[in-house]
Amino acid sequence: MYNKNKKDRPSNPNQRTELSTLGEFGLIDHLTENIKIKHPGTIKGVGDDAAVIEIKDKMLLLSTDLLIEGIHFDMTFMPLKHLGYKAAVVNFSDIAAMNGIPKQMTVSIAVSNRFPVEALDELYSGILLACEKYNVDLVGGDTSSSVTGLMISVTVTGEAAKDEIVYRNGAKEGDLLCVTGDLGGAYMGLLILEREKQVFKANPDMQPELEGNEYVLQRQLKPEARTDMVHLLKGIDILPTSMIDISDGLASETLHICKQSNVGCRIFEDKIPIDDETRKLAMDFKIIPSVAALSGGEDYELLFTISQGDFPKIEPVHGISIIGHMTPPNDGIYMITNDRKQVEITAQGWDALRRK
Ligand code: ADP
Ligand code: MG
């Protein structure tokens, strides 16, 4: 018989409790019983027909994401705890990209009976870990069965002062284009995991070769949202003119900012921040490192523009790189390569053959 009290439950990794032993309401209680509300604005969390949230003279930000097994994640190499963590964090990243701070979230899941209760415990341990780290209240959700795979939908609220919200459409000619952290790592992590999956398929006795690739694996499996940068920019009195988070790759996000702001831009290849481990692995996979940064995606760093006048404030900041500047729209969207060629940036990254 399934023991609801976690403390008394032996932590046997092989334990498999059928979902039917708890039923829908039992499962919801089980998954949400240890939630403690952190924000005074969260008036009512789990347990009623709707959560109740109070906000005073602020803007409410709202964002949602849907993750489908086999489309957005692969259970063969994504541990459920990491999946839960990532599902939460990518939503926090959307709030950070508006220059806001995430506050509450709901999690809806659809699961087939292929998953035991223990699997959902793993998933929720990742979700709740992210909530602790980012100071977010889990205030509700929905639970349903599914015929085949696992589906997770996360919705998050955030707050920002009225005059502090940053949109994608505010970049101006002459603004500097900046990015936090480093890029391309999450993509290299994905390539490593896919490579090891193929090796494992061919010979299940082989141990995966993950050593030495810790940084890029962590970038893929346990990304972080740059809410720290939202605080940092505020601390040095910078309000970006436009901002977006890098989920699809530097190229695609740059195009979004340029199109919505009606500006062009120049990015300098040698200014794109790329970690040494990422660079080395890209070489091993015969990929130009800047292509991994431009097309790879899932780094969840922030890409933003600032007015030129803010240059002295941003220049000394560790962990922010100025990678280019915005131009008149007719000048197009180009990267200046290391060998001083101009190549057009497309949604796929850049096409080395399409030179200006
Ligand atoms: P309803 O019938 O109104 O949809 P439910 O029985 O589905 O209510 O949910 C009861 C409470 O549990 C609600 O507060 C809901 O937000 C919460 N809840 C349901 N499923 C989940 C879940 N997977 N994670 C977190 N909270 C959940
Ligand atoms: Mg419901």
Side-chain angles (χ1 to χ4, degrees):
M1 180 55 197
Y2 183 71
N3 187 344
K4 204 166 155 283
N5 189 337
K6 281 182 187 167
K7 276 185 245 97
D8 300 344
R9 206 168 73 217
S11 56
N12 174 0
N14 297 322
Q15 184 160 347
R16 217 197 121 83
T17 309
E18 295 290 331
L19 285 174
S20 56
T21 59
L22 288 181
E24 182 190 336
F25 299 128
L27 177 65
I28 295 172
D29 283 349
H30 172 73
L31 292 176
T32 60
E33 66 191 350
N34 291 322
I35 292 175
K36 289 196 182 58
I37 295 299
K38 307 176 189 79
H39 295 288
T42 310
I43 307 294
K44 180 81 197 180
V46 170
D48 213 310
D49 293 308
V52 180
I53 295 160
E54 183 180 28
I55 30 174
K56 299 176 187 114
D57 56 289
K58 291 254 180 149
M59 293 293 219
L60 174 73
L61 305 166
L62 188 64
S63 179
T64 192
D65 256 316
L66 177 64
L67 299 175
I68 311 278
E69 182 180 352
I71 309 275
H72 302 101
F73 58 92
D74 183 335
M75 300 266 306
T76 49
F77 54 64
M78 191 77 174
L80 278 161
K81 184 171 181 180
H82 286 80
L83 179 62
Y85 192 85
K86 188 167 174 175
V89 159
V90 300
N91 277 274
F92 303 160
S93 178
D94 282 323
I95 299 296
M98 303 300 291
N99 204 34
I101 298 299
K103 296 279 168 166
Q104 290 93 8
M105 75 170 190
T106 61
V107 176
S108 297
I109 50 174
V111 272
S112 72
N113 53 15
R114 164 163 80 82
F115 293 89
V117 174
E118 287 76 12
L120 296 182
D121 284 342
E122 276 290 296
L123 180 75
Y124 267 70
S125 72
I127 292 171
L128 293 170
L129 181 64
C131 285
E132 281 312 310
K133 177 151 183 195
Y134 289 87
N135 200 32
V136 169
D137 286 334
L138 176 53
V139 296
D142 203 13
T143 306
S144 168
S145 46
S146 104
V147 186
T148 49
L150 173 65
M151 280 167 261
I152 310 166
S153 171
V154 176
T155 298
V156 62
T157 70
E159 283 178 22
K162 288 197 169 81
D163 51 0
E164 283 177 354
I165 295 187
V166 177
Y167 299 92
R168 294 178 179 183
N169 67 6
K172 303 274 181 301
E173 287 174 37
D175 280 357
L176 302 174
L177 183 64
C178 307
V179 68
T180 62
D182 58 75
L183 302 178
Y187 180 58
M188 297 321 304
L190 181 66
L191 292 187
I192 297 275
L193 290 168
E194 279 175 349
R195 184 183 72 190
E196 294 311 312
K197 184 182 168 183
Q198 295 311 321
V199 172
F200 180 79
K201 267 191 186 162
N203 180 359
D205 294 332
M206 286 280 285
Q207 285 300 309
E209 237 184 81
L210 302 174
E211 216 165 286
N213 303 318
E214 286 83 3
Y215 180 67
V216 300
L217 287 169
Q218 178 221 317
R219 295 291 283 168
Q220 171 58 223
L221 293 174
K222 193 170 175 284
E224 302 293 350
R226 299 312 305 263
T227 48
D228 59 329
M229 286 293 172
V230 173
H231 292 296
L232 186 149
L233 290 172
K234 198 174 170 160
I236 56 172
D237 198 25
I238 286 186
L239 184 65
T241 52
S242 70
M243 187 148 65
I244 191 168
D245 69 325
I246 301 189
S247 52
D248 293 336
L250 177 61
S252 163
E253 317 305 354
T254 302
L255 291 182
H256 282 306
I257 287 190
C258 288
K259 293 231 161 89
Q260 293 208 24
S261 302
N262 193 33
V263 289
C265 90
R266 292 291 176 278
I267 291 180
F268 295 87
E269 184 176 20
D270 60 356
K271 302 280 187 234
I272 299 175
I274 299 174
D275 178 78
D276 288 343
E277 191 178 308
T278 305
R279 197 177 290 281
K280 188 190 157 295
L281 282 168
M283 298 302 201
D284 292 351
F285 279 103
K286 304 210 173 0
I287 294 170
I288 302 170
S290 63
V291 172
L294 282 155
S295 316
E298 294 202 286
D299 290 310
Y300 297 102
E301 296 294 340
L302 294 173
L303 178 70
F304 59 97
T305 54
I306 58 168
S307 1
Q308 269 185 37
D310 283 335
F311 174 78
K313 292 187 211 162
I314 210 111
E315 208 242 354
V317 177
H318 186 75
I320 294 181
S321 310
I322 303 170
I323 60 169
H325 58 264
M326 312 320 270
T327 64
N330 293 339
D331 287 2
I333 301 165
Y334 286 90
M335 181 169 80
I336 315 296
T337 63
N338 291 339
D339 53 357
R340 299 287 127 192
K341 303 227 165 53
Q342 279 211 103
V343 293
E344 189 170 11
I345 295 174
T346 65
Q348 288 72 43
W350 56 279
D351 183 345
L353 300 172
R354 213 171 334 138
R355 301 245 154 102
K356 196 181 183 187

